[in-house]
Amino acid sequence: MAKDQLEVLNVLDQAKTQLYHFTAVVIAGMGFFTDAYDLFCISLVTKLLGRIYYYVPGSSKPGSLPPNAASAVNGVALCGTLAGQLFFGWLGDKLGRKRVYGITLMLMVGCSIASGLSFGSSPRAVMATLCFFRFWLGFGIGGDYPLSATIMAEYSNKKTRGSFIAAVFAMQGFGILAGGTVAIVVSSIFSAAYPAPPFAVDPLGSTVPQADYVWRIILMFGALPAVLTYYWRMKMPETPRYTALVAKNAEKTCADMSKVLQIDIQVEKQDLECQGRGETTRFGLFSREFLRRHGLHLLGTTSTWFLLDIAYYSQNLFQKDIFSAVGWLPAAKSMSALGELYKIARAQTLIALCGTVPGYWFTVFLIDRIGRFTIQSIGFLFMSVFMFALALPYHHWTLKENRIGFVVMYGLTFFFANFGPNSTTFVVPAEIFPARFRATCHGISAASGKAGAIVGAFGFLYASQNQDKAKADPGFPAGIGMRNSLIVLAVINLLGLLMTLLVPESKGKSLEEMSQEICEGTENHATNESAIV
């Protein structure tokens, strides 16, 4: 089938791994570094926001965000991300990957800074302003998903393509680590400069006025890595596959790739013939022909990402129990506001270092050896196993002597999420759809995932509440309990394993072979000639 592929794309597929591959990983990966920092750093500062803006004088407990405010602050960026994935995915196919790539980055920079400058005359006004800018920050982050994946896929050779796309996504782990590190450093500096007693000793004095600067600095720091990569994003040429297969400009494709690969690539006569013939057989997104060729694939990528993110984002519900169990997070009364921030950041950084980051890089090193399907299947299977193992003897794990085991099981669940569907659901949609729909279909798949994230983060926040309303968290109704929630999540992972059967294996195959657009029109042209003869 390779003989019908555009020659310039065949050269790109066969190219040895070179410096420009790693440069593209860093440029695209720094976007994901920023995405992860911005999305996850808000969870570090929500306790601090509650202490600053919602403490009731005379109360025996530190201030905390009301459930509706907490849901809005944590969730509004996810809603923005969902919208951005759909919009910028579509726009990336219409205008080109490079032109849209810079827009998303500047939106992220502007909204990161604006989030830290959220002011208002009342706590409610501050939260409303913060939510406004967090939504648009999420909107820019959403655009980075389909564009980064598509750009990396369209620049890579077919031998190491999976590893390079997974490496871009793996930068999320370093972004999460950076968020925790920045919070640790900033809180330590302010704690040293402005010492404060624990809440139990001095409720008002435990939250120093300067703490209001801390969360703002942490949020605004997310703009820095994005600014540093803007110049290099704008220097990247348009991807060869977009220029050749969508813009239909084989000459420019050869010129761009000659510079990138540092070899002379000539336009072949066959390439120009393929361009002309392809126009007659083009079909639209969601047309009957598209659904015949790729309908089940799109169902597979959207459903697996949706189911994965329900389970993945709901795992954060157990962090407060885990941190308390191993002594990483003492009672709130025993800490000052900045002391609590420091210990939350330290605990989340340790979780990321031990469970999150290793899983990402296991995927990077193994995805082109054992394949996407295998890794995704293993991940879903073991997530189910460990969640059932946590759920069925749940009371056993709540006993003090067994809590270390609970932490280990929790860490393994995170590991197999990242060495599994959390990575592969990002990789595969960038490989299996036609170039003119590639970013759109990746955006649709990613948006489906974010819909699952919203269900996981907020649906299960309510569902996991104690079945006895008196024992539920303040402001929440009774739920189905943590044990039953874990059982439901384990079943969801099994459904993800089942839907993985709809996702094709793309290891070692060219993008054009997977998308069935190898010199699109060649087969019909040959058939017509045979009929005339």
Side-chain angles (χ1 to χ4, degrees), residues 6-8 250 254 265-274:
L6 293 178
E7 180 59 29
V8 64
C254 290
I265 304 175
Q266 299 296 326
V267 182
E268 300 284 333
K269 180 181 178 182
Q270 176 201 8
D271 291 356
L272 298 175
E273 291 175 351
C274 285

Side-chain angles (χ1 to χ4, degrees), residues 1 4-6 9 97 154 241-242 244-246 248 274 278 281-283 293-294 430-438 510-523:
M1 296 182 79
D4 293 327
Q5 188 181 20
L6 293 178
L9 302 185
R97 306 3 173 168
E154 293 181 344
R241 286 180 163 89
Y242 184 88
L245 299 173
V246 183
K248 298 290 182 181
C274 285
T281 59
R282 290 168 74 90
F283 52 86
R293 295 190 187 195
H294 303 291
E431 299 182 305
I432 62 176
F433 298 107
R436 64 184 183 275
F437 305 136
R438 187 167 288 135
S510 73
L511 295 180
E512 289 67 50
E513 185 178 352
M514 290 304 303
S515 62
Q516 303 174 41
E517 59 180 341
I518 294 181
C519 190
E520 194 172 83
T522 300
E523 291 184 17

Side-chain angles (χ1 to χ4, degrees), residues 154-175:
E154 293 181 344
Y155 265 116
S156 300
N157 60 51
K158 63 184 180 182
K159 183 179 179 182
T160 58
R161 184 180 62 238
S163 292
F164 284 130
I165 304 173
V168 169
F169 192 66
M171 293 299 287
Q172 268 199 345
F174 292 123

Side-chain angles (χ1 to χ4, degrees), residues 33-55:
F33 177 99
T34 304
D35 296 350
Y37 181 97
D38 288 331
L39 279 179
F40 289 94
C41 70
I42 193 67
S43 64
L44 298 171
V45 301
T46 49
K47 294 277 190 184
L48 181 60
L49 290 172
R51 288 204 185 215
I52 294 171
Y53 294 107
Y54 287 92
Y55 172 63

